[in-house]
Amino acid sequence: CAWTESSAVAYCNAILGARTNIEGPQSAFASAITGKTPYIGMHLPDNRKGKVIVRVEAPMNSVQDYALLGYFAGPKVGLNVPVYDNIKGTPSLFMLMSLCAAGISSGSIVMFHIPGITPEATLFNDSLEVITYGNIDRKRTHEILNQSASTTVDVIVLGCPHYSLDRISRLAALLEGKKLHENTKLYVTVAHAQKAISDRMGYTNIIQKAGAIILEDTCGTLINIEPSKVLASDSAKIIHYISRMTGVKNTLLGSLEECVVAATSGKWIGSVLE
């Protein structure tokens, strides 16, 4: 493959078992025209092998947990391919998407392994360096992404990665019959195809009737947010990039449910991690 979007690259390599590097628009279009891409980087089998083990001892029960794990691992592993070991259960696709997005935001993780999930997860051994991710690491990572002393929320951005139909339907169910707080804006980014299905299913009408704004085929980082705003999201990637691109200092990371409560009440009552 020759893919351009950073978190999609990790998903391609680690979850789909396909092979791609992070391409630019020019090189990706060149691949589309020629049907070829340079045999370098993640196309080489040796470069795809696990180089460091991240032993997961913290709970992994939610989308937020997977975002925190990826955000923690990014700067720790550098350019190495991590192996996320000791994860119990089977994560949902959106959990894995959040892991990909967070790991490429805080670091450069374009490939990782999860035993039982990644098709190539046998490409490592127990002699590798081990980094432990425990409850204290989870709490500290959560604190890095939650930098607001204010409980008043002005802007909520959802959909990074773009919301799947499952996430859109959950959002619609949470917003049905409700209205956004007068001082709060809620943006949701989706792909055109998902938006079209959402229209037919009635989800779009419910979400927009509540006052939310749906943006197609774009990124939440392109939304113009004043530096004085308090930004909340269920995406570590959104918080990482918007805070650096716009100067927003007040950020809050939480679940979809917590973000909807903030959107309708104007207040953040997200949980504090122990």
Side-chain angles (χ1 to χ4, degrees):
C1 301
W3 290 15
T4 62
E5 207 284 325
S6 57
S7 55
V9 165
Y11 191 87
C12 178
N13 285 315
I15 308 306
L16 300 182
R19 300 185 176 192
T20 185
N21 294 305
I22 297 181
E23 301 287 352
Q26 295 82 0
S27 60
F29 280 124
S31 293
I33 293 169
T34 64
K36 296 181 181 298
T37 188
Y39 190 57
I40 59 175
M42 286 297 111
H43 294 289
L44 301 174
D46 283 347
N47 291 342
R48 299 174 65 83
K49 294 181 179 179
K51 299 297 192 296
V52 57
I53 294 176
V54 179
R55 184 144 294 142
V56 180
E57 297 181 354
M60 299 295 294
N61 302 316
S62 68
V63 171
Q64 179 178 252
D65 289 334
Y66 280 84
L68 292 174
L69 172 60
Y71 204 79
F72 164 84
K76 298 288 185 181
V77 305
L79 297 176
N80 290 321
V81 175
V83 178
Y84 296 118
D85 193 29
N86 198 42
I87 290 180
K88 304 295 192 296
T90 302
S92 69
L93 290 182
F94 201 76
M95 288 175 177
L96 294 169
M97 290 167 68
S98 297
L99 176 65
C100 294
I104 199 69
S105 301
S106 65
S108 302
I109 301 176
V110 297
M111 170 72 185
F112 59 82
H113 297 276
I114 299 178
I117 300 294
T118 307
E120 301 162 68
T122 56
L123 298 179
F124 68 95
N125 57 66
D126 291 336
S127 66
L128 300 179
E129 174 193 357
V130 176
I131 298 172
T132 301
Y133 174 71
N135 286 326
I136 293 177
D137 304 299
R138 176 172 174 263
K139 186 175 187 296
R140 286 175 178 168
T141 305
H142 185 265
E143 289 171 351
I144 291 171
L145 292 163
N146 285 263
Q147 292 290 326
S148 180
S150 172
T151 58
T152 300
V153 179
D154 304 294
V155 178
I156 297 102
V157 181
L158 305 173
C160 184
H162 282 166
Y163 260 12
S164 62
L165 191 63
D166 172 67
R167 301 292 287 181
I168 294 171
S169 66
R170 287 186 61 192
L171 175 61
L174 291 168
L175 285 175
E176 188 164 16
K178 299 176 183 176
K179 289 288 186 181
L180 299 192
H181 188 272
E182 58 182 359
N183 296 324
T184 304
K185 294 180 180 179
L186 172 60
Y187 299 95
V188 189
T189 59
V190 300
H192 176 78
Q194 301 301 314
K195 170 65 162 50
I197 299 173
S198 177
D199 292 347
R200 295 197 296 271
M201 297 291 288
Y203 301 143
T204 299
N205 182 59
I206 293 171
I207 293 169
Q208 292 179 333
K209 190 174 181 181
I213 299 170
I214 299 177
L215 302 173
E216 295 180 58
D217 296 336
T218 189
C219 178
T221 59
L222 301 179
I223 299 170
N224 184 20
I225 299 175
E226 298 176 11
S228 62
K229 299 294 185 181
V230 178
L231 168 72
S233 180
D234 62 347
S235 167
K237 183 176 182 178
I238 277 289
I239 290 177
H240 177 87
Y241 283 118
I242 287 185
S243 63
R244 285 156 177 78
M245 294 171 66
T246 67
V248 172
K249 301 299 183 185
N250 300 303
T251 59
L252 296 161
L253 174 72
S255 66
L256 168 59
E257 291 76 12
E258 289 167 343
C259 287
V260 169
V261 170
T264 54
S265 69
K267 299 290 184 182
W268 186 257
I269 55 173
S271 57
V272 177
L273 298 187
E274 298 297 334

